[in-house]
Amino acid sequence: MKIYGYARCSTNEDKQDINRQIRELKAAGADEVVFEYEHGDAKVKKELHMLLDMAASGDTIITLEVSRLSRSTQQLCEILDIVKEKHLRLMIVGSITIDCRNGEVDPMSKAFLEMSGVFAELELSMIRARVRSGMQNARDKGRKIGRPQTTKDDIPAIFYKHYPAFAAGNMNVSELARICGLSRPTVYKYLRIIG
């Protein structure tokens, strides 16, 4: 029987540190921790699905909060169905354990988990409403929302230095991106701007 930990952050490692979750999951007994950067209500969480596929009957999956698994009640119920079907144990550290290793779900535990999912979904809706309200407030004050429009003046000098070789056909987009230290999508964006 193996104990898997599952950690998730909404944004990439530059903005959120997932290491705290990994440390706490290992301290809670996880033999192996699977993690990913994905939004809580994303329809597809590749690493979570891979973990659910990989887990064998009798294994345990632990996570720190219900919202790490999903912020959608429907998705949470689907995960619970898989846990039951595969005879797994799902443990929310410091909260609740759903033990389906005998193929059954305790009704009280299931209800508690589903209610936790409802609150996680509600929290996400409230966060989104606050963000929309804040953005509208900023617009009403005359502020521009979103990324500023890139202009020719924003393109770095190194791009202009190597652009003539690209225009002459002496290098392709990948080479131009590598020499300039840029990503290919950024190079394509600059090419459209100077078009």
Side-chain angles (χ1 to χ4, degrees), residues 2-189:
K2 193 158 182 181
I3 300 175
Y4 295 99
Y6 175 71
R8 181 192 59 75
C9 281
S10 297
T11 55
N12 66 28
E13 55 264 41
D14 295 337
K15 295 185 180 166
Q16 283 189 333
D17 183 9
I18 205 163
N19 291 320
R20 174 194 61 85
Q21 289 182 55
I22 294 170
R23 280 192 307 274
E24 289 183 24
L25 289 167
K26 286 184 177 176
D31 302 315
E32 179 182 334
V33 177
V34 173
F35 66 92
E36 66 187 319
Y37 294 93
E38 187 58 79
H39 288 281
D41 64 338
K43 290 195 185 333
V44 177
K45 296 181 189 75
K46 291 179 187 172
E47 297 300 319
L48 177 58
H49 287 295
M50 184 267 309
L51 172 58
L52 290 168
D53 285 344
M54 178 174 60
S57 178
D59 287 348
T60 298
I61 297 173
I62 61 175
T63 191
L64 298 179
E65 303 163 11
V66 171
S67 62
R68 295 299 116 205
L69 293 172
S70 181
R71 286 190 180 269
S72 159
T73 307
Q74 179 185 346
Q75 288 176 17
L76 196 57
C77 289
E78 290 167 3
I79 291 167
L80 192 54
D81 287 342
I82 294 169
V83 167
K84 179 182 173 188
E85 184 181 296
K86 292 193 75 174
H87 298 253
L88 303 173
R89 186 171 70 141
L90 175 63
M91 190 171 109
I92 313 300
V93 176
S95 179
I96 188 169
T97 298
I98 308 285
D99 194 343
C100 299
R101 290 177 292 184
N102 66 357
E104 297 296 321
V105 181
D106 168 51
M108 285 297 285
S109 299
K110 181 181 179 188
F112 181 82
L113 188 68
E114 289 174 355
M115 285 303 297
S116 297
V118 168
F119 286 114
E121 196 170 332
L122 173 64
E123 180 184 30
L124 180 63
S125 297
M126 291 168 60
I127 290 167
R128 287 181 172 160
R130 282 195 303 266
V131 168
R132 281 193 300 271
S133 174
M135 289 171 69
Q136 187 58 51
N137 186 41
R139 278 190 206 99
D140 292 346
K141 291 180 178 179
R143 293 192 188 128
K144 292 198 181 252
I145 302 298
R147 292 184 183 198
Q149 191 73 26
T150 303
T151 66
K152 288 182 180 180
D153 295 336
D154 299 319
I155 298 174
I158 193 165
F159 181 85
Y160 285 117
K161 176 182 175 185
H162 296 289
Y163 175 75
F166 170 80
N170 296 329
M171 70 173 70
N172 62 31
V173 171
S174 295
E175 292 167 329
L176 180 59
R178 184 180 48 75
I179 287 173
C180 295
L182 302 168
S183 67
R184 286 172 44 119
T186 300
V187 168
Y188 281 120
K189 179 172 76 170

